Every structure is written in C-alpha cells, then in structure tokens.
Amino acid sequence: MTRPADEGFYMPAEWERHHRCWMAWPCREQTWNGTLSRAQMLYAEIAQAISQFEPVSMICPPAEVVDASLACGSGVEILPLALDDSWLRDTGPGFLLDGRGRAAGVQWQFNGWGGRLQPHAADAALAGSLLRHLNLPAFEAPLVLEGGAVLCDGEGTLITTEQCLLNPNRNPNLDRRQIEELLKDYLGVSTVIWLAEGYQDDETDGHADEIACFVRPGVVLALTTDDPGDGNFASFHDNLDRLQHARDAQGRELEVIPIRQPARRDQRGRRLTLSYTNLYIANDGVIIPGFHDPADSEAFRTLRRLFPGRAVVQIPVDDLVVGGGGIHCITLAQPAP
C-alpha cells in the first residue's frame, strides 16, 4: 500500500500560506447543554474574523444551510454535507503537500473520541467526503486519530501526548513504536516529541492543541501555571521539561515560551479547557481566544510579539469552551500548493 511519505507528502506548518479555512456548523444539541444558538453565533463570528485574511467555507447539514448562511454572511461559503458534530479539526482530513504543487489528504479512523460521541458515522465519513468534493487524493490511515492530537512544524517534527495516542480507547492493538511509524508514514515527519498528559479533564484525552502550539520553526508556545495546587501544575511543568530537553527533526533545541493559563472554570463538575494555545494562524492574522480573564491581556501581548507580521484578533470564546474545545478545534486550514 502506498503511503503519503513514500510519495513525498508531508503535513505543512500552520503558519504557511492557506488556500482556505474550513469549519463545520454546530448542530448537535447535546454538545452545547442548551446553548447551541449561542455557539452558532460564535462560530459565525470566528468565521467572519478569519475571512478578513483568507477564504472560509462552513460545512453544514443540508437542513440548516439557510440558517448558517444568514448567520455567517456573504463572505463565508456554505457547503452542505452530513455532520454529527462541529469539531472539524478532529473529523476533517489531514491536508498534505508534496513540495511539487500537489495536494492530498489523510483520512484517519474516527471513533468519536474514544467512544464518547454516539452516533458518529457521519463524522467518520466526513474527511473522505470533503476530499472527494475537493477532488484530492485520499490516503486512508489504519490509525484512530483526531487532528487536534498532533502538532507539526512542517520540517519533520510532530508533538503529541501519550495520554491521547497511547490511550487504549483509540488504538489498543498498537504500541508506541507502531504509532510513531504510522505518524511518520502518513504525515511525513521524522521526529515525534511525546508529552505525557494534556489539560486536566480534557474530554479529548489530552489533545496537544490544548497545551501547546508551534509558533515558527524551533519555537513552541506551551501553557503553564505557577500554582502548585492547580490540577495542571505537574503535567504542565513536565511538558515544559520534555520540550526544553527535546530536539526537533533539524537537530535544534526548542525555544519554549510559557504562557499562563486563565483561572480555572468548571461546568457540571468538570474543568473547562481554557487555553491560549488553542488558536488559529491565518494568512495575515492570528485569531486568539479570550475568556474574560485578567490573563487575556497578557496573552494578547505575548501573541502579538510572537506574530509580528500578522494582525492579532482576540475573540471571547466562553460560548465555545462549554462544548469542549477552542478556536483551533473548530478550524482546519487547507494549505496552498
């Protein structure tokens, strides 16, 4: 079986030029605990913000095309496709390039975040449906994986967590070495940096995008806290230590930039994942979250410093995190060949 790396395909970095941003319309009532309409308005606001910098398309259940179109406005294209939920980073394809102008996509196996989401048949088929719509080659990977679980620098380095990828609810018959080989084969990477755990109570079992992001080659932003009594303290500091002692695929020591998490917020007895690394890097802008928290202004200053060539737009995402994710979770960049 031909694999993407055999043909020279790789996953590009998120700061590279995009052809388009893809999103998916919120449509599952149970996800939002009575706040679905507010989530829809926030998705539309985020889509409109991104559309200042690059084209945006919103995948939408056919029955909700009119509502989505009215909410998103004329600057956002609507594509009718079947959906179960609205976290396109996890259910969409992993877009690939090959350096010769060719594009393709990886279709991962999707099992509803370890069986948490039922039903999920439409979401499991979504990556293939989108790749067919785009007329792009699809590589079907024998690996249960969600896009938010991995971060790539476009130069051969990938960051992920043991908590997620080694979780028996994903790939119980694969060990670490086998999973690494599949990541290398399907994403064109050569170095995998393993962090241990993700954000406390993360419903995705520790997705990497909730705790870190690549800013540019060799530079990683990582969430942290100075409070020893915080449930994230031990794991965040372990992550910082692992990153600071790692080398990327180019042999570089990583520059690790800590960013302070917002104050804890709970919902129905579970901690919400409030993370400043859960952001979207657009062509000439960066869309970052705000939480009506004193740490918001510090995060804004840090990210404006880290992305000097891009406009930084901060959007309050209180109505998004109640569903279990952030801005990165609901966006998916299609790279420009």
Side-chain angles (χ1 to χ4, degrees):
M1 179 178 64
T2 302
R3 300 181 180 188
D6 298 333
E7 298 190 22
F9 285 106
Y10 70 98
M11 176 169 278
E14 298 196 26
W15 54 79
E16 295 183 25
R17 298 295 295 182
H18 302 163
H19 172 70
R20 178 173 299 275
C21 174
W22 290 92
M23 299 176 64
W25 189 242
C27 57
R28 186 173 183 267
E29 290 277 359
Q30 302 96 308
T31 297
W32 301 100
N33 192 34
T35 64
L36 176 61
S37 61
R38 283 157 46 186
Q40 290 172 337
M41 293 305 98
L42 182 53
Y43 272 60
E45 181 182 355
I46 292 169
Q48 291 162 2
I50 296 171
S51 71
Q52 300 175 59
F53 307 106
E54 63 195 43
V56 179
S57 292
M58 183 76 70
I59 298 171
C60 177
E64 300 190 37
V65 165
V66 173
D67 289 344
S69 181
L70 288 173
C72 292
S74 59
V76 177
E77 176 189 79
I78 305 296
L79 175 63
L81 286 176
L83 288 176
D84 293 308
D85 215 332
S86 51
W87 309 99
L88 193 63
R89 177 71 57 172
D90 292 345
T91 57
F95 285 111
L96 308 173
L97 297 176
D98 74 345
R100 295 184 293 162
R102 292 191 303 164
V106 179
Q107 183 178 352
W108 305 108
Q109 307 299 311
F110 179 71
N111 72 351
W113 297 279
R116 282 185 172 83
L117 173 69
Q118 300 292 347
H120 57 257
D123 280 355
L126 183 58
S129 299
L130 181 54
L131 290 172
R132 285 191 295 274
H133 170 78
L134 296 171
N135 196 29
L136 290 178
F139 296 91
E140 188 169 347
L143 182 68
V144 175
L145 183 142
E146 305 92 37
V150 295
L151 309 169
C152 292
D153 70 350
E155 297 186 359
T157 311
L158 180 148
I159 296 173
T160 190
T161 71
E162 296 164 350
Q163 181 187 359
C164 184
L165 263 62
L166 302 185
N167 197 308
N169 67 12
R170 300 301 205 280
N171 299 286
N173 298 320
L174 298 176
D175 61 24
R176 179 195 298 253
R177 182 191 60 78
Q178 291 169 316
I179 290 173
E180 277 201 21
E181 289 305 310
L182 288 169
L183 293 172
K184 293 174 181 179
D185 287 341
Y186 284 87
L187 293 177
V189 298
S190 57
T191 297
V192 178
I193 298 173
W194 290 91
L195 305 182
E197 296 185 8
Y199 206 104
Q200 183 183 23
D201 289 346
D202 182 3
E203 294 178 305
T204 67
D205 299 309
H207 274 191
D209 62 2
E210 293 284 16
I211 55 175
C213 68
F214 279 107
V215 174
R216 54 184 178 271
V219 181
V220 178
L221 187 69
L223 211 60
T224 189
T225 175
D226 295 326
D227 179 6
D230 189 281
N232 281 323
F233 182 84
S235 59
F236 282 1
H237 282 265
D238 180 64
N239 291 338
L240 288 173
D241 184 68
R242 292 187 185 212
L243 290 168
Q244 288 164 348
H245 286 88
R247 289 186 178 270
D248 66 13
Q250 306 302 313
R252 293 176 294 228
E253 294 182 356
L254 295 173
E255 179 185 354
V256 184
I257 301 170
I259 188 166
R260 184 165 59 95
Q261 69 175 4
R264 177 174 182 144
R265 197 178 303 171
D266 288 13
Q267 175 183 261
R268 301 192 302 275
R270 188 182 188 97
R271 184 174 192 165
L272 296 175
T273 48
L274 313 182
S275 171
Y276 296 115
T277 66
N278 203 313
L279 51 78
Y280 182 77
I281 304 172
N283 281 342
D284 297 301
V286 185
I287 314 303
I288 70 170
F291 303 100
H292 294 104
D293 185 277
D296 287 353
S297 57
E298 177 187 345
F300 180 84
R301 290 192 298 270
T302 297
L303 289 160
R304 187 169 57 181
R305 174 174 59 83
L306 293 176
F307 293 99
R310 289 177 162 89
V312 177
V313 179
Q314 190 167 47
I315 297 177
V317 295
D318 306 70
D319 291 328
L320 176 57
V321 294
V322 297
I327 293 173
H328 190 261
C329 303
I330 68 171
T331 52
L332 181 61
Q334 180 185 349

